[in-house]
Structures are given as structure tokens and as C-alpha cells.
């Protein structure tokens, strides 16, 4: 019998719902993006995000059910992102999921958003041969696996020992890498979202013109939640360095670039530095734990420089799902929800949002 999960995701700025069978087959995957709403602020504006979720959520769930051609009685469970994320945004999805479970007597499963990014690799959308994980599974256990999650809100290295058994190996001590891309793009006047804009500008720039010095990060009780400082990340120094470069190279009185500022070279050098740091630490973690494969998720995994370097430098196999499954979506939450459901995980109507939820601690 098919195990069919309806999933809802509202942790940040995408209102998303999906119907997935057996944690693999995507029957529908609807994402309503708020990018245009937040563009003028150069980032996600939380108050606006939660209102936009509230306006969109019913129609998005309805569309996901219709596109899936799924009836309510055909559902086995409802999965929803409980955290981490913006509190006011998470609440909209969690309440919607609770309402559906109450009305339809369905089991409710709260999912960690980061676990969702990892489980995107278990999905088998048409047109994609499927992730390395499915091929490893066919040969036996795919574990241990290493996940690199890089987005506007996250920079994490997670070791996966088994389904539901995660260990946090690395995280950022300040900005997330996508946040750094967005902020540097804004300083350079390249627009929002910053990642694609920096990547494009970098194509016409010299990545070696401005060396960015490697951040020195040490374990302190405040910043570190992991055993090895070598696997910690920091991006705020790179951001400050980019600002200095603009000021030094014909920036105006407000530190804004002028037509004489080498915007493309700064973008290329910034991208070169941060992708190198991501790759070095991922390679180190993969070797330390002798993982069978590395699963990359989050919006920054769209970055071509990152993809090329990881593929070239990793000894282990590396998996990048199709882009629409790398960025925030509900199909990945359905996949994570399916595996939790099969392990017997159930939540009840007291499920609360967990904006600071961690994975693998
Ligand atoms: O996963 P995502 O869609 O949303 C969350 O933040 O959860 O990731 C969005 C982030 C943004 O910071 C965006 O600038 C970055 O992913 N991004 C990229 C690229 N495409 C998107 N960063 C670098 N290079 C790209 N090509
Ligand atoms: Zn995400």
C-alpha cells in the first residue's frame, strides 16, 4: 500500500505544499515564492513574510492536493516544518497542518527543516536518474553520509549515521553563507537575491585579484557546538573585507561602488574565497568520517563554482538534486516526514514551532 504524505513548509519566504508517495514519488510540489515582496528590503522581512504565508497557504495546499489528484482519505499523514525558521512564518504552516489533521483524523509529523534538505536526496522526480543515495541503498546501507546544507539561513555540515541519527559536525559562527552572498551583492549594488547576481558578475571578474584572508575561528562556549574547530565556518570577515575593497577602490562617500569600482573582480574574489572554504571543510569532514557520499542542499548549492570544486576535490561521490529540490520546497519535508512516519514518529495537536531547532546535537 502506498504511504502518501501531504507536507507543508513555511519556515522562511516560500509558502509550499507537496504530496509525495513512499518518500520518493512527487505527485505535486507547489511553491509560492515571496522574492518580489522582499526584494526592495534586500532580504526577508519577517512581518511581511508571515502575512504573505497566511494569504497564500490555503490556496497552495488546495493546489497541491488538486495537482496530485489526491483525495483526503488517500493521505497517510501530514508533515510540517516545525523549525528552524521565522516564528511568525512557521506558525502559519504548523496551524494549517494541525487543522487538517484535526478535521481529517490524520497523524501529524513535525519535521526539522534541515532534515528536509537532506531528504531531498531520497526523492525520485521524473527526469532525474535519482540521487547516489538510492544507488547506494540498492547495494546495502548508504550510511555514513555527509550533508552540506548551504542556504540563506544555514551553513551546516551534518553526519548522518542512519535514518533519524544525525551528528552536527560544523556550522557557521556568524552569518550563513547565502546571507553573506546577499549582503555583499547588496553592497556591490547587484540586487537581490545576491547569490545568482554575484555568480553572474564573477564570470566577468578575476577571482585572484583580491585575496581574502582565511577567517580564524576558535572554539568558545558561546560559538561552538561541535568537537572540531576545523569544521567551523565564518563569513562576516569576508563581508567586511568586501566593504573595505569597495571603499579603497573608488567607492563614494557612503561606501557605495562607483563606475570605477572593480565590481566584477570583487564579486569573483569573494566567491572564490567562500567556495574554497566550504569545499576544504567538506573534504576534510568527508575524509575524517569516511563517508560514502556527500549530499548538498540549500539555495547556495546552485553555485557553479561550488559545484565544480566539490566534484573535482571530493574523494567521495557527491549529489546535487535538481535546483527546485535544493531550494526550499515541501516535497523534501514530505520525504523526511515519510521516514519519520515509518519509524513511528507522531506529534499531537500540542506541537509547537521551534524557531531555533538544531539538528544532530
Ligand atoms: O535554500 P534557499 O532558497 O532559502 C533559504 O535561505 O532557506 O537559499 C537562498 C539563498 C540566498 O541567500 C541566495 O542568494 C543563495 O541561496 N543562492 C546562491 C545562488 N543561488 C541562490 N548563492 C550562490 N550562488 C548561487 N548561484
Ligand atoms: Zn532551507
Amino acid at each position: 500500500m502506498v504511504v502518501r504524505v501531504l507536507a507543508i513548509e513555511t519556515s522562511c519566504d516560500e509558502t509550499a505544499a507537496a504530496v509525495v508517495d513512499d518518500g520518493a514519488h512527487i505527485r505535486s510540489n507547489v511553491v509560492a515564492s515571496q522574492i518580489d515582496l522582499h526584494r526592495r528590503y534586500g532580504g526577508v522581512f519577517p512581518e511581511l513574510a508571515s502575512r504573505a504565508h497566511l494569504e497564500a497557504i490555503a490556496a497552495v495546499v488546495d493546489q497541491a492536493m488538486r495537482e496530485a489528484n489526491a483525495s483526503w482519505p488517500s493521505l497517510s499523514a501530514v508533515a510540517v516544518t516545525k523549525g528552524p525558521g521565522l516564528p511568525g512564518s512557521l506558525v502559519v504552516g504548523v496551524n494549517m497542518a494541525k487543522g487538517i489533521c484535526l478535521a481529517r483524523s490524520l497523524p501529524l509529523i513535525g519535521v526539522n527543516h534541515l532534515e528536509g534538505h537532506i531528504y531531498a536526496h531520497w526523492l525520485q522526480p521524473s527526469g532525474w536518474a535519482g540521487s547516489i543515495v538510492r544507488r547506494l541503498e540498492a547495494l546495502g546501507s548508504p550510511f555514513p553520509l555527509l550533508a552540506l546544507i548551504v542556504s540563506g539561513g544555514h551553513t551546516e555540515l551534518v553526519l548522518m549515521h542512519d535514518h533519524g541519527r544525525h551528528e552536527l559536525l560544523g556550522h557557521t559562527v556568524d552569518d550563513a553563507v547565502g546571507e553573506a552572498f546577499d549582503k555583499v551583492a547588496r553592497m556591490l549594488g547587484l540586487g537581490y537575491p545576491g547569490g545568482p547576481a554575484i555568480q553572474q558578475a564573477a564570470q566577468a571578474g578575476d577571482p585572484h585579484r583580491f585575496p581574502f584572508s582565511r577567517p580564524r575561528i576558535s572554539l568558545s562556549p558561546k560559538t561552538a557546538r561541535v568537537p572540531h574547530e576545523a569544521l567551523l565556518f565564518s563569513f562576516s570577515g569576508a563581508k567586511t573585507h568586501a566593504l573595505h575593497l569597495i571603499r579603497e577602490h573608488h567607492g563614494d562617500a557612503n561606501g557605495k561602488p562607483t563606475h570605477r569600482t572593480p565590481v566584477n573582480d570583487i564579486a569573483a574574489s569573494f566567491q572564490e574565497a567562500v567556495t574554497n572554504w566550504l569545499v576544504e571543510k567538506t573534504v576534510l569532514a568527508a575524509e575524517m568520517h569516511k563517508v560514502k557520499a556527500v549530499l548538498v542542499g540549500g539555495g547556495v548549492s546552485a553555485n557553479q563554482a561550488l559545484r565544480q570544486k566539490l566534484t573535482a576535490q571530493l574523494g567521495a561521490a557527491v549529489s546535487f538534486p535538481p535546483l527546485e529540490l535544493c531550494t526550499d520546497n515541501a516535497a523534501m519535508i514530505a520525504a523526511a516526514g515519510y521516514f519519520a512516519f515509518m519509524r513511528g514518529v507522531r506529534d499531537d495537536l500540542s506541537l509547537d514551532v521551534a524557531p531555533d531547532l538544531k539538528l544532530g546535537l
Side-chain angles (χ1 to χ4, degrees):
M1 211 186 88
V2 169
V3 175
R4 178 168 296 167
V5 175
L6 164 69
I8 297 171
E9 151 68 43
T10 61
S11 66
C12 191
D13 60 343
E14 325 275 358
T15 315
V19 177
V20 174
D21 285 350
D22 297 325
H25 307 293
I26 304 172
R27 295 186 65 94
S28 64
N29 191 17
V30 179
V31 180
S33 171
Q34 303 176 6
I35 275 193
D36 290 338
L37 182 65
H38 301 289
R39 197 182 299 277
R40 77 185 105 138
Y41 304 99
V44 178
F45 196 86
E47 282 294 305
L48 286 181
S50 48
R51 284 192 61 175
H53 283 307
L54 206 49
E55 281 168 18
I57 187 78
V60 167
V61 169
D62 187 49
Q63 191 182 340
M65 290 295 285
R66 271 189 292 114
E67 283 183 14
N69 205 6
S71 65
W72 293 106
S74 74
L75 295 180
S76 311
V78 179
V80 64
T81 305
K82 62 180 175 184
L86 300 169
S89 291
L90 289 164
V91 137
V92 176
V94 166
N95 278 334
M96 185 72 185
K98 281 186 189 177
I100 294 169
C101 289
L102 187 62
R104 304 283 170 181
S105 302
L106 285 164
L108 174 67
I109 300 159
V111 171
N112 184 315
H113 179 83
L114 296 174
E115 202 171 338
H117 276 298
I118 298 175
Y119 275 97
H121 296 260
W122 268 262
L123 291 166
Q124 294 181 301
S126 56
W128 186 41
S131 146
I132 181 75
V133 169
R134 292 290 186 182
R135 273 171 279 150
L136 288 169
E137 266 179 350
L139 302 171
S141 165
F143 303 107
L145 291 167
L146 178 68
L148 171 67
I149 305 165
V150 279
S151 73
H154 296 282
T155 313
E156 331 251 334
L157 274 169
V158 180
L159 182 64
M160 196 173 173
H161 295 282
D162 200 347
H163 290 293
R165 280 188 56 221
H166 309 279
E167 185 183 340
L168 185 68
L169 297 179
H171 61 87
T172 177
V173 297
D174 40 55
D175 291 347
V177 61
E179 197 180 349
F181 267 96
D182 291 338
K183 287 180 180 166
V184 170
R186 194 176 175 184
M187 286 177 208
L188 291 170
L190 294 172
Y192 174 82
I198 296 240
Q199 175 171 308
Q200 203 186 358
Q203 275 166 5
D206 174 2
H208 304 294
R209 174 157 176 204
F210 301 115
F212 278 61
S213 50
R214 199 168 297 281
R216 261 185 243 162
I217 318 158
S218 51
L219 285 174
S220 81
K222 192 167 155 269
T223 53
R225 318 193 303 260
V226 292
H228 296 286
E229 60 188 18
L231 298 180
L232 293 173
F233 297 99
S234 166
F235 299 102
S236 68
K239 198 180 60 188
T240 313
H241 188 55
L243 186 61
H244 285 308
L245 288 172
I246 298 169
R247 291 213 173 113
E248 278 166 29
H249 293 83
H250 314 290
D252 68 13
N254 300 316
K256 297 244 176 334
T258 61
H259 69 281
R260 291 165 66 205
T261 307
V263 167
N264 293 340
D265 290 345
I266 297 175
S269 302
F270 165 80
Q271 176 177 271
E272 173 75 7
V274 300
T275 53
N276 279 346
W277 302 337
L278 288 171
V279 172
E280 279 163 24
K281 287 170 196 257
T282 306
V283 169
L284 182 63
E287 283 169 1
M288 276 164 75
H289 296 278
K290 300 192 170 42
V291 298
K292 292 191 184 154
V294 177
L295 315 178
V296 189
V300 181
S301 64
N303 188 272
Q304 286 302 331
L306 179 65
R307 284 180 176 234
Q308 281 159 9
K309 288 177 195 177
L310 277 174
T311 308
Q313 293 177 36
L314 269 171
V318 59
S319 165
F320 301 97
L323 212 52
E324 67 272 19
L325 300 180
C326 285
T327 52
D328 287 353
N329 67 87
M332 69 184 196
I333 304 301
Y338 165 83
F339 283 96
F341 180 75
M342 299 309 273
R343 289 198 301 276
V345 173
R346 301 287 185 275
D347 281 293
D348 59 29
L349 295 178
S350 67
L351 176 68
D352 199 359
V353 298
D356 297 318
L357 189 64
K358 308 282 190 268
L359 184 63
L361 286 176

